[in-house]
Amino acid sequence: MTEAEDRKPRSDEARYDPEITSEFAIPAGLDVPKTAGEPETTSEFALPKGLETPHAPAAEPEGSAFSPPSAYSPQDSLTAFTPATGVPLVSLVKDAPWQDRMRTMLRMPVAERPAPEPVQRVEEEGPAVPRVLDLTLRIGELLLAGGEGAEDVEAAMFAVCRSYGLDRCEPNVTFTLLSISHQPSLVEDPVTASRTVRRRGTDYTRLAAVFRLVDDLTDPETHVSLEEAYRRLAEIRRNRHPYPGWALTLASGLLAGAASVLVGGDLIVFVAAALGAMLGDRLAWLCAGRGLPEFYQFTVAAMPPAAVGVAFALAHVDVKASAVVTGGLFALLPGRALVAGVQDGLTGFYITASARLLEVLYFFVGIVAGVLVVLYFGVKVGGKLNPDAALVINERPLIQIAASMLLSLTFAVLLQQERSTVLWVTLNGGVAWTVYGAMHYVADISPVASTAVAAGLVGLFGQLLSRYRFASALPYTTAAIGPLLPGSATYFGLLNMAQNEVDKGLVSLANAASLAMAIAIGVNLGSEIFRLFLRVGSVGKRRAAKRTRGF
């Protein structure tokens, strides 16, 4: 057989001949386990067969942030953080006003608040949470727009929620925004709603009506359904103001006249100040009807009283022209917003306090601009206005007390107070001026200290009257501080600046600012002193307000 024939493919018999094998063939008799089709090629990171590794522990099921960890054991937990006598029981005095009870609740941590005692009857499936939150926000909006302090607004909102069984609620109040959050349980998502206050109006009659509604909601013997609460709230919104526009204009004039008498004016000064203030009030109403902002309304309203005073100076009439201007300023000074702003700051609501004080600053700048323009032109045309003309005030105790009471009465009318509260606030204003006059004119005490003490009594009596009537303290305090407002110091500062005596003007304006702060702090301190002796707290003492030691 040739070599070529050897290279030819063999026949089928030769191809499957068992004697002919490959060098990689497995010898006969050697058993190899079957691999069930697995690939022979493996990674270099594969574990060798027979090497057993411990299994990783199973992952814990996903739970709430409030769920205790798996390693926690109540038997092995430390008890060093629990007092030896146990956790003190929190209890509230049920016959105390709801404002104090709710304020005490808000100042507690959420975990320490006592369990709610539902007042209103609700359906078996529970209260309608969105509707309750909406009602709460609408009530808070009316209170905040009416000038109520942020803490009192939060207390009212919290009281409404708890009266319908929503205890896990957290209200939050700023200058223009109200929000409230309700968490049904520790593991459920919270429900949050908010409302914006876009328009403010001073109407203490409406404010008192809202307080009566909240008082009925928190009364365990009175049942007010959601529909009834909505109906009453709608009636409160639709109610007209108790005093017409002409009565407000007349009250503005009488207020200016009474203020001019307090700083030494006579009958002619009284009439002139009243006419200037009424003219300024009508001009301000005209600007409001044209849609001008409040800044320009205050600027326009401050011009007529100043113009009347300059006219007396140019006519060389033997009257105290400065008393005319001072009386007109009393009707414009934003005492209500100032007291509310300082109160919010003292109770820990710094954002709301900053916004309120900024609003007061804008109003004050508007008044300054209006008066300063008139005084500047009056000085340029030859008007001789003496800054020291009204500094010497004749002591006329009976006349001044009567003027202070008239001022408080007319201030109450401008605030749209209920007729039943006008008499009380008039008496409170007379007491405030009596204390101020006795300390300043008789005992020769500084005006700042005298103002602070008188304002403190106003706040003290205001809280007493509000507890007696189960209403807000604002109608009994705001109008009563009217005689204490720094109208004369403001006018003298502006007059000095108009006569290019800037240093004296700044000193007088700083004195006016000091008097304003003394009024606001005195009113708040008097209210807090009254609450301090009320049994409204828990575990034997009253809770601190929001923060402690600044951290």
Side-chain angles (χ1 to χ4, degrees), residues 29-112:
L30 182 61
D31 296 332
V32 179
K34 297 182 179 180
T35 59
E38 292 184 0
E40 295 293 336
T41 305
T42 59
S43 171
E44 61 270 21
F45 299 102
L47 295 175
K49 183 179 179 180
L51 181 61
E52 297 180 357
T53 57
H55 295 283
E60 295 184 2
E62 183 179 358
S64 171
F66 301 97
S67 301
S70 59
Y72 172 77
S73 175
Q75 292 78 13
D76 300 335
S77 61
L78 299 177
T79 58
F81 297 98
T82 302
T85 57
V87 179
L89 178 64
V90 178
S91 60
L92 300 176
V93 180
K94 295 183 179 180
D95 56 352
W98 63 265
Q99 300 98 311
D100 294 323
R101 289 187 283 113
M102 294 303 106
R103 187 181 292 108
T104 304
M105 293 284 293
L106 285 173
R107 292 179 178 182
M108 294 181 188
V110 178
E112 298 181 11

Coordinates of all heavy atoms in Angstrom, one line a residue, residues 29-112:
G29 N -12.5 1.3 32.4 CA -12.6 0.9 33.8 C -12.5 2.1 34.8 O -12.6 1.9 36.0
L30 N -12.2 3.3 34.3 CA -12.2 4.5 35.2 C -13.5 5.2 35.1 O -13.9 5.7 34.1 CB -11.1 5.4 34.7 CG -10.9 6.7 35.6 CD1 -10.5 6.3 37.0 CD2 -9.8 7.6 34.9
D31 N -14.3 5.1 36.2 CA -15.6 5.8 36.3 C -15.5 7.2 36.6 O -14.8 7.6 37.6 CB -16.5 5.1 37.3 CG -16.8 3.6 36.9 OD1 -16.7 3.3 35.7 OD2 -17.0 2.8 37.9
V32 N -16.1 8.1 35.9 CA -16.1 9.5 36.1 C -17.6 10.0 36.4 O -18.5 9.6 35.6 CB -15.6 10.3 34.8 CG1 -15.6 11.8 35.1 CG2 -14.2 9.8 34.5
P33 N -17.8 10.7 37.4 CA -19.2 11.1 37.7 C -19.7 12.1 36.6 O -19.0 12.9 36.1 CB -19.1 11.8 39.1 CG -17.7 12.2 39.2 CD -16.9 11.2 38.5
K34 N -21.0 11.9 36.4 CA -21.6 12.8 35.4 C -21.8 14.2 36.0 O -22.1 14.4 37.2 CB -23.0 12.2 35.0 CG -22.8 10.8 34.3 CD -24.2 10.3 33.9 CE -24.0 9.0 33.2 NZ -25.3 8.4 32.7
T35 N -21.7 15.2 35.2 CA -21.8 16.6 35.6 C -23.1 17.2 35.3 O -23.3 18.4 35.5 CB -20.7 17.4 34.9 OG1 -20.9 17.3 33.5 CG2 -19.3 16.9 35.3
A36 N -24.1 16.4 34.8 CA -25.5 16.9 34.6 C -25.4 18.1 33.6 O -26.2 19.1 33.8 CB -26.2 17.3 35.8
G37 N -24.5 18.1 32.7 CA -24.5 19.2 31.7 C -23.9 20.5 32.1 O -24.0 21.4 31.4
E38 N -23.3 20.6 33.4 CA -22.7 21.8 33.8 C -21.4 22.0 33.0 O -20.7 21.1 32.7 CB -22.4 21.8 35.3 CG -23.6 21.8 36.2 CD -23.2 21.8 37.6 OE1 -22.0 21.9 37.9 OE2 -24.2 21.8 38.5
P39 N -21.1 23.3 32.8 CA -19.9 23.6 32.0 C -18.6 23.3 32.9 O -18.7 23.4 34.1 CB -20.0 25.0 31.7 CG -20.9 25.6 32.8 CD -21.9 24.5 33.1
E40 N -17.6 22.8 32.3 CA -16.4 22.4 33.0 C -15.6 23.7 33.4 O -14.9 23.7 34.3 CB -15.6 21.5 32.1 CG -16.2 20.1 31.9 CD -16.3 19.3 33.2 OE1 -15.5 19.6 34.1 OE2 -17.2 18.4 33.2
T41 N -15.8 24.7 32.6 CA -15.0 26.0 32.8 C -15.7 26.8 33.9 O -16.9 27.1 33.9 CB -15.0 26.8 31.6 OG1 -14.5 26.0 30.5 CG2 -14.1 28.0 31.8
T42 N -14.9 27.1 35.0 CA -15.4 27.9 36.1 C -14.5 29.1 36.3 O -13.4 29.2 35.8 CB -15.4 27.0 37.4 OG1 -14.1 26.6 37.7 CG2 -16.4 25.8 37.3
S43 N -15.0 30.0 37.2 CA -14.2 31.2 37.5 C -13.2 30.9 38.6 O -13.3 30.0 39.4 CB -15.2 32.3 38.0 OG -14.5 33.4 38.5
E44 N -12.2 31.8 38.5 CA -11.1 31.6 39.5 C -11.6 32.0 40.9 O -10.9 31.7 41.9 CB -9.9 32.4 39.2 CG -10.1 33.9 39.1 CD -10.5 34.3 37.7 OE1 -11.0 33.4 36.9 OE2 -10.3 35.5 37.3
F45 N -12.8 32.7 41.0 CA -13.3 33.1 42.3 C -14.3 32.1 42.8 O -14.9 32.3 43.9 CB -14.0 34.5 42.2 CG -13.1 35.6 41.7 CD1 -13.1 36.0 40.4 CD2 -12.2 36.1 42.6 CE1 -12.2 37.0 40.0 CE2 -11.3 37.1 42.2 CZ -11.3 37.6 40.9
A46 N -14.5 31.0 42.1 CA -15.5 30.0 42.6 C -14.9 29.3 43.8 O -13.7 29.0 43.8 CB -15.8 29.0 41.4
L47 N -15.8 29.0 44.7 CA -15.4 28.2 45.9 C -15.2 26.7 45.6 O -16.0 26.2 44.8 CB -16.5 28.3 47.0 CG -16.7 29.7 47.6 CD1 -17.9 29.7 48.5 CD2 -15.4 30.2 48.2
P48 N -14.2 26.2 46.1 CA -14.0 24.7 45.8 C -15.1 23.9 46.4 O -15.7 24.3 47.4 CB -12.6 24.5 46.5 CG -12.0 25.8 46.7 CD -13.1 26.8 46.8
K49 N -15.3 22.8 45.8 CA -16.3 21.9 46.3 C -16.0 21.3 47.7 O -14.8 20.9 47.9 CB -16.5 20.7 45.3 CG -17.7 19.8 45.7 CD -17.9 18.7 44.6 CE -19.0 17.8 45.1 NZ -19.2 16.7 44.1
G50 N -16.9 21.3 48.5 CA -16.7 20.8 49.9 C -16.4 21.8 50.9 O -16.4 21.5 52.1
L51 N -16.2 23.1 50.5 CA -15.9 24.2 51.4 C -17.2 24.9 51.7 O -17.8 25.5 50.9 CB -14.9 25.2 50.8 CG -14.5 26.4 51.7 CD1 -13.9 25.9 53.0 CD2 -13.6 27.3 50.9
E52 N -17.7 24.8 53.0 CA -18.9 25.4 53.4 C -18.7 26.7 54.1 O -17.8 26.8 55.0 CB -19.6 24.4 54.3 CG -20.0 23.1 53.7 CD -20.7 22.2 54.7 OE1 -20.9 22.6 55.8 OE2 -21.2 21.1 54.3
T53 N -19.4 27.7 53.7 CA -19.3 29.0 54.3 C -20.6 29.3 55.1 O -21.7 28.9 54.7 CB -19.2 30.1 53.2 OG1 -20.3 30.0 52.3 CG2 -17.9 29.9 52.4
P54 N -20.4 30.1 56.2 CA -21.7 30.5 57.0 C -22.6 31.4 56.2 O -22.1 32.3 55.4 CB -21.1 31.2 58.2 CG -19.7 31.7 57.7 CD -19.2 30.7 56.7
H55 N -23.9 31.2 56.3 CA -24.9 32.0 55.6 C -25.0 33.3 56.3 O -25.0 33.4 57.6 CB -26.2 31.2 55.6 CG -26.1 30.0 54.7 ND1 -26.1 30.0 53.4 CD2 -26.1 28.7 55.1 CE1 -26.0 28.8 52.9 NE2 -26.0 27.9 54.0
A56 N -25.3 34.4 55.6 CA -25.5 35.7 56.2 C -26.9 35.8 56.8 O -27.8 35.1 56.4 CB -25.4 36.8 55.1
P57 N -27.0 36.5 57.9 CA -28.3 36.6 58.6 C -29.4 37.2 57.7 O -29.1 38.1 56.9 CB -28.0 37.4 59.8 CG -26.8 38.2 59.5 CD -26.0 37.3 58.6
A58 N -30.6 36.8 57.9 CA -31.7 37.3 57.0 C -31.9 38.8 57.4 O -31.8 39.2 58.5 CB -32.9 36.5 57.3
A59 N -32.2 39.6 56.4 CA -32.4 41.0 56.6 C -33.7 41.2 57.4 O -34.7 40.5 57.2 CB -32.5 41.7 55.2
E60 N -33.7 42.3 58.3 CA -34.8 42.6 59.1 C -35.9 43.2 58.2 O -35.6 43.9 57.3 CB -34.5 43.6 60.2 CG -33.5 43.0 61.2 CD -33.2 44.0 62.3 OE1 -33.9 45.1 62.2 OE2 -32.5 43.7 63.2
P61 N -37.2 42.8 58.5 CA -38.2 43.4 57.7 C -38.3 44.9 57.9 O -38.0 45.5 58.9 CB -39.5 42.8 58.2 CG -39.1 42.3 59.6 CD -37.7 42.0 59.5
E62 N -38.6 45.6 56.8 CA -38.7 47.1 56.8 C -39.8 47.5 57.7 O -41.0 47.1 57.6 CB -38.9 47.6 55.4 CG -38.9 49.2 55.4 CD -39.0 49.7 53.9 OE1 -39.1 48.8 53.0 OE2 -39.1 50.9 53.8
G63 N -39.6 48.5 58.6 CA -40.6 48.9 59.5 C -40.6 50.4 59.7 O -40.0 51.1 58.9
S64 N -41.3 50.9 60.7 CA -41.3 52.4 60.9 C -40.1 52.9 61.6 O -39.3 52.1 62.2 CB -42.6 52.7 61.7 OG -42.6 54.0 62.1
A65 N -39.9 54.2 61.6 CA -38.8 54.8 62.3 C -39.0 54.7 63.8 O -38.0 54.8 64.6 CB -38.6 56.2 61.9
F66 N -40.2 54.4 64.2 CA -40.5 54.4 65.6 C -40.5 52.9 66.2 O -40.7 52.7 67.3 CB -41.9 54.9 65.9 CG -42.0 56.4 65.5 CD1 -42.6 56.7 64.3 CD2 -41.6 57.4 66.4 CE1 -42.7 58.0 63.9 CE2 -41.7 58.7 66.0 CZ -42.3 59.0 64.8
S67 N -40.2 51.9 65.3 CA -40.1 50.6 65.7 C -38.8 50.3 66.5 O -37.8 50.8 66.1 CB -40.2 49.6 64.4 OG -41.4 49.8 63.7
P68 N -38.9 49.5 67.6 CA -37.6 49.3 68.3 C -36.7 48.3 67.5 O -37.2 47.5 66.7 CB -38.2 48.6 69.6 CG -39.5 48.0 69.2 CD -40.1 48.9 68.2
P69 N -35.4 48.4 67.7 CA -34.5 47.6 67.0 C -34.7 46.1 67.5 O -35.2 45.9 68.6 CB -33.1 48.1 67.3 CG -33.4 48.9 68.6 CD -34.8 49.4 68.5
S70 N -34.2 45.2 66.6 CA -34.3 43.8 67.0 C -33.5 43.4 68.2 O -33.9 42.4 68.9 CB -33.9 42.9 65.7 OG -32.5 43.2 65.4
A71 N -32.4 44.1 68.5 CA -31.6 43.7 69.6 C -32.1 44.3 70.9 O -31.5 44.1 72.0 CB -30.2 44.2 69.4
Y72 N -33.2 45.0 70.8 CA -33.8 45.7 72.1 C -34.6 44.7 72.9 O -35.3 43.9 72.3 CB -34.7 46.8 71.7 CG -35.4 47.4 72.8 CD1 -34.8 48.3 73.7 CD2 -36.8 47.1 73.1 CE1 -35.5 48.8 74.8 CE2 -37.5 47.7 74.1 CZ -36.8 48.5 75.0 OH -37.5 49.1 76.0
S73 N -34.3 44.7 74.1 CA -35.0 43.8 75.1 C -35.5 44.6 76.2 O -34.7 45.3 76.9 CB -34.1 42.7 75.6 OG -34.8 41.9 76.5
P74 N -36.8 44.6 76.5 CA -37.3 45.4 77.7 C -36.7 45.0 79.0 O -36.5 45.8 79.9 CB -38.8 45.2 77.6 CG -39.1 44.8 76.2 CD -37.9 44.0 75.8
Q75 N -36.4 43.7 79.1 CA -35.9 43.2 80.4 C -34.4 43.7 80.6 O -34.0 43.9 81.8 CB -35.9 41.7 80.4 CG -37.3 41.0 80.5 CD -37.9 41.0 79.1 OE1 -37.3 41.3 78.1 NE2 -39.2 40.8 79.1
D76 N -33.7 43.9 79.5 CA -32.3 44.3 79.7 C -32.1 45.8 79.5 O -31.0 46.3 79.6 CB -31.4 43.6 78.6 CG -31.5 42.1 78.7 OD1 -31.7 41.6 79.9 OD2 -31.3 41.4 77.7
S77 N -33.2 46.6 79.3 CA -33.0 48.0 79.1 C -32.7 48.7 80.5 O -33.1 48.2 81.5 CB -34.3 48.6 78.6 OG -35.4 48.4 79.5
L78 N -32.0 49.8 80.4 CA -31.6 50.6 81.5 C -32.8 51.4 82.1 O -33.6 51.8 81.3 CB -30.5 51.5 81.2 CG -29.2 50.8 80.7 CD1 -28.1 51.8 80.4 CD2 -28.6 49.9 81.8
T79 N -32.9 51.5 83.3 CA -33.9 52.3 84.0 C -33.4 53.6 84.6 O -34.1 54.2 85.5 CB -34.7 51.5 85.0 OG1 -33.7 51.0 86.0 CG2 -35.3 50.2 84.4
A80 N -32.2 54.0 84.3 CA -31.6 55.1 84.9 C -32.3 56.4 84.6 O -32.2 57.4 85.3 CB -30.1 55.2 84.6
F81 N -32.9 56.5 83.4 CA -33.5 57.7 82.9 C -34.9 57.9 83.4 O -35.6 58.9 83.1 CB -33.5 57.8 81.4 CG -32.1 57.8 80.8 CD1 -31.5 56.6 80.3 CD2 -31.3 58.9 80.8 CE1 -30.3 56.6 79.8 CE2 -30.1 58.9 80.3 CZ -29.5 57.7 79.8
T82 N -35.5 56.9 84.1 CA -36.8 57.1 84.6 C -36.7 57.5 86.1 O -36.0 56.9 86.9 CB -37.6 55.7 84.5 OG1 -37.6 55.3 83.2 CG2 -39.0 55.8 85.1
P83 N -37.5 58.5 86.5 CA -37.4 58.9 87.9 C -37.8 57.8 88.9 O -38.6 56.9 88.5 CB -38.4 60.1 88.0 CG -38.5 60.5 86.6 CD -38.3 59.3 85.7
A84 N -37.3 57.8 90.1 CA -37.6 56.8 91.0 C -39.1 56.8 91.4 O -39.7 55.7 91.7 CB -36.8 57.0 92.3
T85 N -39.7 57.9 91.3 CA -41.2 58.0 91.6 C -42.1 57.7 90.4 O -43.3 57.9 90.4 CB -41.5 59.3 92.2 OG1 -41.1 60.4 91.3 CG2 -40.8 59.5 93.5
G86 N -41.4 57.5 89.2 CA -42.1 57.3 88.0 C -42.3 58.6 87.2 O -42.0 59.6 87.7
V87 N -42.9 58.5 86.1 CA -43.2 59.7 85.3 C -44.4 60.4 85.8 O -45.4 59.8 86.1 CB -43.5 59.3 83.8 CG1 -43.8 60.5 83.0 CG2 -42.3 58.5 83.2
P88 N -44.2 61.7 86.1 CA -45.4 62.4 86.8 C -46.6 62.5 85.8 O -46.4 62.6 84.6 CB -44.8 63.8 87.0 CG -43.6 63.9 86.1 CD -43.1 62.6 85.9
L89 N -47.7 62.3 86.4 CA -49.0 62.4 85.7 C -49.3 63.8 85.3 O -49.3 64.7 86.2 CB -50.1 61.8 86.5 CG -51.5 61.8 85.8 CD1 -51.5 60.9 84.6 CD2 -52.5 61.2 86.8
V90 N -49.6 64.0 84.0 CA -50.0 65.4 83.6 C -51.5 65.5 83.7 O -52.2 64.7 83.1 CB -49.5 65.6 82.1 CG1 -49.9 66.9 81.6 CG2 -48.0 65.4 82.0
S91 N -51.9 66.5 84.3 CA -53.3 66.8 84.5 C -53.6 68.3 84.3 O -52.8 69.1 84.7 CB -53.8 66.3 85.9 OG -53.2 67.0 86.9
L92 N -54.7 68.6 83.8 CA -55.1 70.0 83.5 C -56.4 70.3 84.3 O -57.2 69.4 84.6 CB -55.4 70.2 82.0 CG -54.2 70.0 81.1 CD1 -54.7 70.1 79.6 CD2 -53.1 70.9 81.4
V93 N -56.5 71.5 84.7 CA -57.6 72.0 85.5 C -58.8 72.2 84.5 O -58.7 73.0 83.6 CB -57.3 73.3 86.3 CG1 -58.6 73.7 87.0 CG2 -56.2 73.0 87.2
K94 N -59.8 71.4 84.6 CA -60.9 71.5 83.6 C -61.7 72.7 83.7 O -62.3 73.1 82.7 CB -61.8 70.2 83.8 CG -61.1 68.9 83.6 CD -62.1 67.8 83.7 CE -61.4 66.4 83.4 NZ -62.3 65.3 83.6
D95 N -61.8 73.4 84.8 CA -62.6 74.6 84.9 C -61.8 75.8 84.5 O -62.3 77.0 84.6 CB -63.2 74.8 86.3 CG -62.1 74.8 87.4 OD1 -60.9 74.5 87.1 OD2 -62.4 75.1 88.6
A96 N -60.5 75.7 84.1 CA -59.7 76.8 83.7 C -60.2 77.2 82.2 O -60.7 76.4 81.5 CB -58.3 76.5 83.7
P97 N -59.9 78.4 81.8 CA -60.3 78.8 80.4 C -59.5 78.0 79.4 O -58.4 77.5 79.7 CB -59.9 80.3 80.4 CG -59.9 80.8 81.8 CD -59.4 79.6 82.6
W98 N -60.2 77.8 78.3 CA -59.6 76.9 77.3 C -58.3 77.5 76.7 O -57.4 76.7 76.3 CB -60.6 76.6 76.1 CG -60.9 77.9 75.4 CD1 -62.0 78.7 75.5 CD2 -60.2 78.4 74.3 NE1 -62.0 79.7 74.6 CE2 -61.0 79.6 73.8 CE3 -59.1 78.1 73.6 CZ2 -60.5 80.4 72.8 CZ3 -58.6 78.9 72.5 CH2 -59.4 80.0 72.1
Q99 N -58.2 78.8 76.7 CA -56.9 79.4 76.3 C -55.7 78.9 77.1 O -54.7 78.5 76.5 CB -57.0 80.9 76.3 CG -58.1 81.5 75.5 CD -59.3 81.9 76.3 OE1 -59.8 81.0 77.1 NE2 -59.8 83.1 76.2
D100 N -55.9 78.9 78.4 CA -54.8 78.5 79.2 C -54.5 77.0 79.1 O -53.4 76.5 79.1 CB -55.1 78.8 80.7 CG -55.1 80.3 80.9 OD1 -54.3 81.0 80.2 OD2 -56.0 80.8 81.6
R101 N -55.6 76.2 79.0 CA -55.4 74.7 78.9 C -54.7 74.4 77.6 O -53.8 73.6 77.6 CB -56.7 74.0 79.0 CG -57.3 74.0 80.4 CD -58.6 73.2 80.5 NE -59.7 73.8 79.9 CZ -60.3 73.4 78.8 NH1 -59.9 72.3 78.2 NH2 -61.4 74.0 78.4
M102 N -55.1 75.0 76.5 CA -54.5 74.7 75.2 C -53.1 75.2 75.1 O -52.2 74.6 74.5 CB -55.3 75.2 74.1 CG -56.7 74.6 74.0 SD -56.6 72.8 73.7 CE -57.2 72.2 75.4
R103 N -52.8 76.4 75.7 CA -51.5 76.9 75.7 C -50.5 76.0 76.5 O -49.4 75.8 76.1 CB -51.5 78.3 76.3 CG -50.1 79.1 76.2 CD -50.2 80.4 76.8 NE -51.1 81.3 76.0 CZ -52.2 81.7 76.4 NH1 -52.7 81.3 77.6 NH2 -53.0 82.5 75.7
T104 N -51.0 75.5 77.6 CA -50.2 74.5 78.4 C -49.9 73.3 77.6 O -48.8 72.7 77.6 CB -50.9 74.2 79.7 OG1 -51.2 75.4 80.4 CG2 -50.1 73.3 80.6
M105 N -50.9 72.8 76.8 CA -50.7 71.6 76.0 C -49.6 71.9 74.9 O -48.8 71.0 74.7 CB -52.0 71.2 75.4 CG -53.0 70.7 76.4 SD -52.7 69.0 76.9 CE -52.9 68.1 75.4
L106 N -49.7 73.0 74.3 CA -48.8 73.4 73.2 C -47.4 73.5 73.7 O -46.4 73.2 73.0 CB -49.2 74.7 72.5 CG -50.4 74.6 71.6 CD1 -50.8 75.9 71.1 CD2 -50.1 73.7 70.4
R107 N -47.2 73.9 75.0 CA -45.8 74.0 75.5 C -45.3 72.7 76.0 O -44.2 72.7 76.6 CB -45.9 75.1 76.6 CG -46.1 76.5 76.1 CD -46.2 77.5 77.2 NE -46.4 78.8 76.7 CZ -46.4 79.9 77.4 NH1 -46.3 79.8 78.7 NH2 -46.6 81.1 76.9
M108 N -46.0 71.6 75.9 CA -45.5 70.3 76.3 C -44.9 69.6 75.1 O -45.4 69.8 73.9 CB -46.6 69.4 76.8 CG -47.2 69.9 78.1 SD -48.5 68.7 78.6 CE -49.2 69.6 80.0
P109 N -44.0 68.7 75.3 CA -43.6 67.8 74.2 C -44.7 66.9 73.8 O -45.6 66.6 74.6 CB -42.4 67.0 74.8 CG -41.9 67.8 75.9 CD -43.1 68.6 76.5
V110 N -44.7 66.4 72.6 CA -45.9 65.6 72.1 C -46.0 64.4 72.9 O -47.2 63.9 73.2 CB -45.7 65.3 70.6 CG1 -46.8 64.4 70.1 CG2 -45.6 66.6 69.8
A111 N -44.9 63.8 73.3 CA -45.0 62.5 74.0 C -45.6 62.7 75.4 O -46.0 61.7 76.1 CB -43.6 61.8 74.1
E112 N -45.6 63.9 76.0 CA -46.0 64.1 77.4 C -47.4 64.6 77.4 O -47.9 64.9 78.5 CB -45.0 65.0 78.1 CG -43.6 64.5 78.2 CD -42.7 65.5 78.9 OE1 -43.3 66.4 79.5 OE2 -41.5 65.3 78.9

